[in-house]
Amino acid sequence: MTRVVIAPDKFKGSLTAVEAAAAIAHGVRDALPEAEVSSCPVADGGEGTLDVLVAAGGRLVELPVRGPLDDTVDARYVTLDGTAYIESARACGIEFVEPSPEVALAAHTWGVGELLAHALDNGARRLVLTVGGTASTDGGAGMLAALGAGVFDAFGSPVGLGGGTLGRVALAELGPARERLGSVEVAVATDVTNPLLGPRGAAAIFGPQKGAGPREVEQLDEALSRWAQALRNAGTPDVSDLPGAGAGGGVAAGAIAGLGASVESGFQLIAGLTGVAGAIERADLVITGEGSLDEQSLDGKAPAGIAARAQEHAVPLMVLAGRIQLDQSQLAGLGVVGSAALIDHAPSLDHARAHAAELLRERAGELVRTWARSQA
């Protein structure tokens, strides 16, 4: 019996990883009705991580929190075996705003701190913070303030919320936040390696996605520099150049410095919960994918992690994506034996997004039939 492992990430704007895995599974069964199919949707710590955790047996907790521009948003997190998994974007995601220069300066992470506080109050023994997809570039200052930390100017007054206000920060009082945390461990789950500051930092790389123009990028980078100095003055390690500290608009830096968080690979952490590693060891074929397979996918994203596991065990790999922007040599380097982009089989991008499940089923069936014939 042919054993097929299906391990896609989300198709952003179309399907969650769980939905994508279900569509691909239908296609595999169309082609190989007798196949043993294992669906192991994956994530890398970015948006959609909670969906994967719920599919792995986690419990969803929902509550209203303060959104990135102060409007109340309906947020959520997942608990699993005593660990609370907090997805920053559920509280301060970019989907809650219309990106603009003003928004880039004003958006904050207070709601993330509310999620952490709720999890602590409800007995979480460990906190895992995923940091992708935020609207904010506040270095996690809002998150820490929601946990009781003080973020003050040189006169001892609170600077307010949003990355733009950090241009006035001079002092961070972290004691109350650390007391609130107690002995609970915190981990930041990310595969982003950007530092907090500089040309590869949070403001320069991610700020424009949030509406920041050149002036705002410069302003935010300077503000984060002052924030990093205030954190150092509070006795924390220097996070300015630490790989990964720039993730989530610097919310990773705030968690590392302010809460003593460790940094873990988002993909490795989530993969360890889904059982995908063991499934791949026993597989005859692996299928992965995501909305856009491009250069960023090679830098620690979930499909690259799945490809590495498949290559480790000499299992052939297929890739399905909304669009594929890697050339054949790059695909071959991942061990890909078959691939398909949905946009190549649709009249428009909008059509591909609207009919992603149907297209995934069709393309998966076609690829698997072709592969099966080659094995006969």
Side-chain angles (χ1 to χ4, degrees):
M1 181 181 294
T2 303
R3 293 163 296 188
V4 182
V5 172
I6 300 169
D9 200 346
K10 67 185 176 300
F11 281 59
K12 189 173 181 178
S14 300
L15 302 170
T16 66
V18 176
E19 292 168 338
I24 295 168
H26 282 307
V28 171
R29 292 190 177 101
D30 290 342
L32 296 175
E34 302 303 318
E36 178 186 308
V37 178
S38 299
S39 288
C40 302
V42 294
D44 56 19
E47 297 166 83
T49 297
L50 298 189
D51 298 311
V52 172
L53 290 169
V54 169
R59 181 176 70 89
L60 194 65
V61 179
E62 300 179 281
L63 69 151
V65 301
R66 192 174 181 178
L69 297 178
D70 290 341
D71 290 341
T72 299
V73 301
D74 294 323
R76 52 188 178 152
Y77 65 92
V78 167
T79 61
L80 181 63
D81 298 330
T83 296
Y85 296 86
I86 312 293
E87 188 176 322
S88 299
R90 295 308 96 222
C92 65
I94 199 165
E95 70 267 28
F96 295 127
V97 305
E98 195 69 40
S100 70
E102 294 76 20
V103 165
L105 295 173
H108 59 75
T109 55
W110 181 280
V112 180
E114 289 185 278
L115 291 178
L116 292 170
H118 189 275
L120 288 169
D121 291 344
N122 284 274
R125 300 190 299 274
R126 184 170 182 253
L127 301 172
V128 174
L129 182 65
T130 74
V131 293
T134 69
S136 55
T137 312
D138 76 345
M143 170 188 70
L144 294 175
L147 289 169
V151 184
F152 303 117
D153 64 18
F155 301 99
S157 299
V159 301
L161 295 174
T165 69
L166 294 176
R168 303 193 305 274
V169 71
L171 174 66
E173 175 50 66
L174 302 175
R178 290 175 171 171
E179 289 173 14
R180 183 74 179 274
L181 192 65
S183 61
V184 174
E185 294 182 358
V186 182
V188 174
T190 181
D191 289 295
V192 168
T193 58
N194 301 77
L196 181 64
L197 305 177
R200 293 189 62 253
I205 298 300
F206 306 114
Q209 303 168 10
K210 307 171 187 187
R215 179 185 300 177
E216 290 76 31
V217 166
E218 183 177 354
Q219 182 177 344
L220 287 167
D221 193 62
E222 174 59 29
L224 289 173
S225 177
R226 292 182 63 89
W227 174 233
Q229 181 62 55
L231 290 170
R232 286 197 298 274
N233 291 345
T236 74
D238 186 4
V239 293
S240 302
D241 299 317
L242 188 69
V251 69
I256 294 164
L259 303 177
S262 60
V263 179
E264 299 186 18
S265 161
F267 168 74
Q268 298 291 349
L269 189 150
I270 304 304
L273 297 172
T274 64
V276 67
I280 289 174
E281 287 184 33
R282 302 183 297 273
D284 299 302
L285 177 67
V286 175
I287 303 175
T288 189
E290 64 178 338
S292 179
L293 192 72
D294 51 34
E295 293 282 351
Q296 290 189 17
S297 303
L298 303 177
D299 189 20
K301 296 294 185 179
I306 293 297
R309 293 289 177 90
Q311 285 185 305
E312 180 182 349
H313 298 287
V315 180
L317 176 73
M318 289 180 178
V319 171
L320 292 158
R323 61 180 180 179
I324 296 176
Q325 296 182 307
L326 300 178
D327 60 33
Q328 288 302 312
S329 65
Q330 290 172 308
L331 290 173
L334 292 173
V336 174
V337 299
S339 62
L342 304 190
I343 190 62
D344 294 339
H345 301 272
S348 68
L349 179 59
D350 287 342
H351 183 279
R353 284 176 172 162
H355 299 275
E358 177 185 342
L359 289 167
L360 272 179
R361 179 173 183 169
E362 292 172 355
R363 300 282 68 78
E366 181 179 287
L367 285 176
V368 170
R369 286 188 193 94
T370 300
W371 174 79
R373 285 195 297 267
S374 73
Q375 303 302 300

